[in-house]
């Protein structure tokens, strides 16, 4: 376990990860045994939180932290692990494929927290290798996590492993009823990057996105799920899961659909391509 005095700075981490990426050649046997990173005495910057809430559609000054906000707090620590020399997967091209979040009770914005981030395991995937990154948030002085998440990240590479690889997300049932359409400006990626610190070039400008094979900038996956959860609503004790299925090009229009505990974000019209699908379940 490595204790951090302050949250890592994302800019140098992203630069380090980009520089090291060409030298990483992951294979089916990739492994990582890096120590967890622990940041204590963490307090929320309420001004930054308010900007995040506005960008993602949450009501500013609501009752406690939005369900997705601890991911933002833990993202620099996750990048510290995944941009290091010992992490076998290249940061460039790493795709966020899913996130599962559990919140056991409301999280006060004025609380003091301890944040722990670690790579739980690497696993073969039919398209490459998948990393599971766990983030845990505890209120200072408590042993049990009040919030936890598991994010999966996929590094694509040639592989012959098929039978033991994790399967793709289950096929979706019938489309959900559309409740709203959102017109997204070309600056969504830049606005979210400013409040989250994630300034990956694929999200910022068409020119930098084209360097990585995208015709235009794409929205952050965590912005899309945050925007959906803001529209859906979440109880204080809740478990949510989202699969990122296809990128959202910026600018563009998306349809938000939901029914019961399910939600999805998809392309409007007959095409109906799914960008994000997820579920929200209240905990007893």
């Amino acid at each position: 376990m490595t204790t951090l005095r302050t949250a890592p700075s994302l800019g140098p981490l992203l630069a380090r990860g980009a520089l090291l990426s060409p030298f990483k050649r992951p294979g089916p046997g990739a492994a990582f045994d890096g120590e967890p990173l622990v940041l204590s005495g963490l307090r929320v910057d309420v001004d930054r939180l308010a900007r995040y809430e506005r960008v993602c559609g949450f009501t500013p000054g609501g009752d406690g932290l939005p369900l997705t906000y601890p991911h933002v707090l833990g993202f620099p620590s996750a990048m510290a692990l995944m941009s290091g020399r010992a992490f076998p997967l290249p940061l460039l091209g790493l795709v966020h494929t899913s996130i599962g979040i559990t919140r056991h009770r409301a999280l006060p914005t004025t609380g003091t927290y301890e944040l722990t981030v670690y790579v739980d395991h690497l696993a073969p995937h039919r398209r490459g290798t998948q990393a599971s990154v766990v983030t845990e948030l505890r209120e200072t002085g408590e042993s049990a996590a009040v919030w936890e998440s598991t994010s999966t990240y996929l590094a694509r590479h040639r592989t012959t492993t098929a039978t033991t690889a994790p399967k793709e997300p289950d096929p979706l049932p019938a489309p959900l009823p559309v409740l709203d359409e959102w017109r997204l400006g070309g600056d969504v990626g830049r606005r979210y990057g400013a409040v989250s610190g994630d300034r990956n070039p694929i999200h910022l400008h068409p020119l930098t996105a084209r360097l990585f094979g995208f015709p235009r900038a794409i929205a952050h996956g965590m912005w899309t799920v945050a925007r959906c959860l803001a529209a859906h609503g979440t109880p204080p004790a809740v478990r949510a899961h989202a699969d990122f299925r296809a990128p959202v090009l910026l600018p563009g229009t998306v349809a938000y659909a939901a029914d019961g505990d399910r939600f999805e974000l998809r392309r409007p019209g007959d095409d109906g391509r799914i960008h994000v699908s997820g579920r929200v379940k209240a905990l007893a």
Side-chain angles (χ1 to χ4, degrees):
M1 182 180 297
T2 300
T3 301
L4 304 174
R5 292 185 177 181
T6 60
S9 178
L10 271 172
L13 294 176
L14 294 172
R16 180 179 70 177
L19 290 173
L20 292 176
S21 288
F23 302 100
K24 297 186 177 184
R25 297 289 187 271
F32 178 68
D33 58 359
E35 294 184 338
L37 299 181
V38 179
L39 177 62
S40 300
L42 177 65
R43 297 184 66 86
V44 173
D45 181 333
V46 293
D47 290 334
R48 181 186 180 194
L49 171 62
R51 295 195 300 271
Y52 173 89
E53 290 170 326
R54 286 192 291 270
V55 169
C56 297
F58 294 102
T59 302
D63 185 17
L65 299 180
L67 181 60
T68 48
Y69 195 68
H71 175 87
V72 172
L73 300 176
F75 188 67
S77 296
M79 286 299 101
L81 290 172
M82 293 191 288
S83 66
R85 291 182 180 275
F87 189 70
L89 309 182
L91 192 63
L92 288 182
L94 205 61
V95 179
H96 196 183
T97 56
S98 73
I99 186 168
I101 301 174
T102 301
R103 182 176 64 193
H104 298 281
R105 62 177 183 270
L107 307 176
T109 59
T110 56
T112 303
Y113 298 98
E114 178 183 272
L115 184 75
T116 303
V117 179
Y118 61 93
V119 177
D120 184 57
H121 66 276
L122 303 183
H125 187 281
R126 69 183 184 88
R127 294 181 179 176
T129 299
Q130 185 170 270
S132 292
V133 180
V134 175
T135 302
E136 298 173 343
L137 195 70
R138 294 172 175 81
E139 290 198 79
T140 297
E142 296 193 4
S143 59
V146 292
W147 183 100
E148 54 204 328
S149 74
T150 299
S151 282
T152 57
Y153 296 90
L154 175 65
R156 292 188 175 95
H157 59 80
R158 289 185 178 181
T159 178
T160 58
T161 304
T163 57
T164 61
K167 65 179 182 178
E168 294 293 288
D170 293 333
L172 289 169
L176 301 175
V178 173
L179 303 183
D180 201 358
E181 286 194 359
W182 302 330
R183 293 185 179 182
L184 310 181
D187 64 343
V188 167
R190 295 189 291 276
R191 293 171 60 213
Y192 183 80
V195 297
S196 68
D198 184 358
R199 293 183 172 87
N200 187 319
I202 64 175
H203 304 302
L204 303 181
H205 298 281
L207 289 177
T208 53
R210 288 188 193 113
L211 296 175
F212 298 91
F214 296 99
R216 305 195 300 275
I218 64 172
H220 295 74
M222 284 306 300
W223 178 85
T224 63
V225 71
R227 185 68 183 87
C228 287
L229 290 171
H232 188 281
T234 55
V238 63
R239 180 173 292 116
H241 181 88
D243 292 306
F244 304 110
R245 295 175 176 266
V248 174
L249 295 175
L250 301 172
T253 301
V254 291
Y256 167 71
D259 188 18
D261 64 354
R262 292 176 53 211
F263 66 85
E264 61 191 25
L265 199 65
R266 65 176 186 255
R267 187 180 297 173
D270 295 336
D271 176 88
R273 186 182 190 187
I274 301 293
H275 299 295
V276 180
S277 62
R279 290 183 178 273
V280 176
K281 181 180 181 181
L283 299 180

